[in-house]
Amino acid sequence: MTHPAEEYDVLVAGGGPGGASVATFVAMQGHRVLLLEKEEFPRYQIGESLLPSTVHGICRLLGVSEEVENAGFVRKRGGTFAWGSGAEPWSFDFALSKKFAGPTSYAYQVERAKFDQLLLDNARRKGVEVRERCAVGEVIEEDDRVRGVRYTDSDGVERTARARYVVDATGNQSKLQRSIGGRRRYSEHFQNIALFGYFEGGRRLPEPNSGNITCVAFPSGWFWYIPLSDTLTSVGAVVRKECADRLRGDRAEALSAMIAECPIVAEYLSDAERVTEGRYGEVRVRKDWSYLHDTFWRPGMVLVGDAVGFIDPLFSSGVHMSTYSALLAARSINTALRGELGERECFAEYEARYRKEYQTFHDFLVTFYDINRDEQQYFEDAKRVTRDTAPAAQAFVGLVGGGASDEAVLTAESYRDKRKEDLHELSRGVHWEGHKIQLQAAFGEAADDVPLSADGLIAGQDGMHWERSGASV
Ligand code: FAD
């Protein structure tokens, strides 16, 4: 039996944070969106430590802040590092950065099965047609344009769906990304492998840092230690690829052996038991995650989230990058669907902004992996790569909180207001990236966004579209 093709404005493959966010941002503009997800939610995923930019920026825009607040996730005020040349562990608070100061100075440690379900349910409520257990197989191409996809539905029936745009948000394992052209470029710096499991009864840092992520360097790499509830902890070893042989035998034994080589984590887990049943019962391995696709879009199709790139688990940038890419791509799709600007210009803006954020995290992480330096040097590195005018420690927190892009919608309200004032003040004559300031002056005090280049676009007032900066006229 053949089924007629279904018609949508936008079709999203993959229902993780990237897919659910882009689908919601487009559906909220009144467009018809179909999201196809291979698994049935809730499903397991790694990536549990979030950043304030996601919790207070993206979740607010998605209209899901209250639910996230009430979900019972562990509050993360910052991070604690046993890392670098100093003998003592050191901590940072998100509150230190003006970008997150006040009521937005924390994030959450989340069980991804719950967090991702919450975002997907929200997508449904906001008008996205979500179908689970539907695996997208390939794109439909006509006249050099992607026009839809072929997928297998939950009854095993082959179907087609057509749309003006197809979004590949199928993550790290994406096969669809091959249809975009170009290829994934794997990082020469980050070629790590992760081995991770879950423990009941691990110790907590003293208050107020009990919800912090703890990262501890050890001879083969480093450990993450993420409190997911009062008693459940996610523990992972990220090791250099030269240590891959150590992961070949029994994974649980390999993890125990590595924990024994890391006195701080061994001590935290001295009274804990590894979970051996259910969703968290497996010791898992992940590798080949550090890459960036060299093509972001083609006519009718765009990559979002891990399908386009991921750097490294250190500093927990994955969900931030995925949902930030979803916001940027949604602006491009919404603008192109309205016919206000050409898709080439819209997707070029997405790509330029995403690449800038990716490069900033990437360059900082390259320097941070040198553990022979001290925290002050790391802070200076963050200031250098972000070109932030704030003191070094604040620049560091602004970056690792997800605020390097200076995207107004991802930062605290107080910071946004202050930034507007500063930009206005600076536009009166002081030279500070003078070019941008002139542009800012030209589109007025009310503008929240600054273009990346003279002919770049800016986010419209609703944050969901691109506009010309006006200054380029
Ligand atoms: P995903 O979450 O992978 O979602 C993709 C979805 O697409 C899945 O639900 C999948 O089932 C679906 N799908 C796949 N194929 C198809 C298909 N053919 N058809 C339909 N659907 C399909 N990030 C953080 O923010 N914090 C962390 O602490 C962190 N730790 C990490 C540790 C490790 C070891 C690794 C490897 C990554 C970590 N990350 C972390 C990164 C994080 O896991 C990802 O960046 C994030 O999950 C990306 O979200 P996404 O929506 O792009 O992709």
Side-chain angles (χ1 to χ4, degrees):
M1 180 179 160
T2 54
H3 294 270
E6 303 155 290
E7 298 276 348
Y8 293 86
D9 294 316
V10 176
L11 194 151
V12 178
S21 299
V22 68
T24 307
F25 288 141
V26 174
M28 283 165 76
Q29 298 300 307
H31 303 299
R32 221 178 143 220
V33 184
L34 173 66
L35 184 151
L36 300 171
E37 163 58 49
K38 188 175 71 169
E39 305 286 332
E40 183 166 356
F41 276 33
R43 58 93 178 88
Y44 176 84
Q45 177 57 297
I46 190 63
E48 294 142 336
S49 196
L50 302 186
L51 304 186
S53 59
T54 306
V55 169
H56 303 288
I58 298 292
C59 289
R60 180 175 50 80
L61 290 172
L62 289 170
V64 83
S65 301
E66 208 174 314
E67 264 184 89
V68 173
E69 198 74 34
N70 295 332
F73 298 131
V74 170
R75 261 195 197 213
K76 170 186 173 187
R77 293 178 79 246
T80 298
F81 281 75
W83 193 288
S85 54
E88 291 301 313
W90 50 277
S91 297
F92 69 85
D93 289 353
F94 291 123
L96 184 65
S97 167
K98 291 195 169 69
K99 293 185 178 182
F100 306 112
T104 52
S105 58
Y106 63 90
Y108 288 111
Q109 317 284 17
V110 299
E111 293 190 58
R112 283 287 300 276
K114 292 183 188 164
F115 180 72
D116 291 11
Q117 172 93 66
L118 200 147
L119 294 190
L120 197 62
D121 288 346
N122 180 58
R124 277 196 186 91
R125 280 198 305 277
K126 299 283 176 355
V128 178
E129 190 177 328
V130 175
R131 295 191 203 154
E132 295 173 57
R133 294 172 56 221
C134 287
V136 176
E138 58 180 6
V139 300
I140 300 168
E141 297 173 57
E142 287 164 10
D143 307 325
D144 283 338
R145 192 174 176 89
V146 172
R147 307 274 179 183
V149 299
R150 282 181 248 285
Y151 70 99
T152 309
D153 75 9
S154 51
D155 297 320
V157 177
E158 301 279 324
R159 291 179 181 269
T160 56
R162 298 176 70 87
R164 291 167 69 189
Y165 288 101
V166 170
V167 180
D168 175 14
T170 58
N172 175 285
Q173 299 298 312
S174 167
K175 295 193 175 57
L176 291 184
Q177 44 91 14
R178 294 184 195 137
S179 347
I180 208 110
R183 66 179 178 88
R184 273 186 181 179
R185 304 272 168 187
Y186 285 88
S187 168
E188 58 187 63
H189 292 285
F190 305 113
Q191 301 186 352
N192 298 324
I193 305 173
L195 176 71
F196 47 100
Y198 294 81
F199 291 80
E200 275 291 338
R203 302 221 172 125
R204 294 290 175 259
L205 289 172
E207 293 302 343
N209 292 332
S210 66
N212 278 12
I213 182 171
T214 303
C215 297
V216 185
F218 82 113
S220 302
W222 61 277
F223 269 95
W224 76 70
Y225 189 92
I226 301 175
L228 292 177
S229 75
D230 287 349
T231 58
L232 181 67
T233 311
S234 166
V235 179
V238 178
V239 299
R240 291 181 295 279
K241 70 169 181 188
E242 302 87 80
C243 306
D245 278 352
R246 300 192 58 188
L247 276 54
R248 282 198 218 291
D250 184 279
R251 288 177 179 177
E253 280 174 21
L255 185 59
S256 296
M258 288 187 195
I259 290 169
E261 291 166 22
C262 183
I264 293 179
V265 173
E267 210 265 313
Y268 285 2
L269 293 176
S270 53
D271 299 326
E273 297 260 337
R274 190 174 70 74
V275 179
T276 53
E277 287 178 350
R279 181 183 288 151
Y280 296 125
E282 204 183 313
V283 174
R284 295 173 163 95
V285 171
R286 287 279 300 267
K287 56 182 181 169
D288 299 330
W289 63 60
S290 303
Y291 55 82
L292 182 62
H293 209 292
D294 57 14
T295 311
F296 279 50
W297 74 282
R298 59 176 284 196
M301 181 175 178
V302 61
L303 304 182
V304 154
D306 274 15
V308 77
F310 177 61
I311 312 169
D312 192 79
L314 192 55
F315 287 114
S316 316
S317 60
V319 174
H320 159 68
M321 292 302 294
S322 176
T323 53
Y324 180 44
S325 78
L327 173 65
L328 297 173
R331 281 181 191 155
S332 304
I333 293 168
N334 288 335
T335 310
L337 284 175
R338 271 192 190 176
E340 287 170 349
L341 295 169
E343 66 181 7
R344 177 170 299 280
E345 194 176 6
C346 292
F347 287 120
E349 188 65 36
Y350 159 36
E351 179 166 345
R353 289 189 186 228
Y354 179 92
R355 278 188 188 279
K356 185 163 178 266
E357 184 76 354
Y358 185 99
Q359 199 66 46
T360 305
F361 262 104
H362 180 275
D363 292 354
F364 176 67
L365 285 170
V366 169
T367 63
F368 199 84
Y369 262 95
D370 176 355
I371 57 160
N372 298 313
R373 314 175 62 183
D374 65 25
E375 62 211 70
Q376 192 52 41
Q377 286 172 306
Y378 297 136
F379 297 164
E380 296 293 343
D381 289 339
K383 187 172 166 68
R384 181 177 47 76
V385 298
T386 55
R387 299 162 82 195
D388 196 331
T389 51
Q394 287 186 33
F396 166 80
V397 177
L399 166 63
V400 302
S405 65
D406 251 354
E407 267 277 355
V409 291
L410 301 187
T411 53
E413 209 171 333
S414 53
Y415 175 76
R416 268 178 263 160
D417 293 345
K418 177 77 174 62
R419 181 169 164 273
K420 263 192 241 173
E421 277 170 31
D422 288 350
L423 285 168
H424 185 64
E425 202 50 43
L426 284 162
S427 72
R428 291 175 203 263
V430 182
H431 182 78
W432 175 77
E433 291 196 68
H435 173 70
K436 278 189 185 174
I437 299 309
Q438 282 162 17
L439 293 171
Q440 180 75 30
F443 46 75
E445 272 179 85
D448 269 347
D449 197 22
V450 179
L452 282 190
S453 62
D455 56 355
L457 304 176
I458 55 166
Q461 283 298 320
D462 66 356
M464 291 296 145
H465 296 89
W466 296 121
E467 298 176 350
R468 276 195 210 293
S469 67
S472 50
V473 291

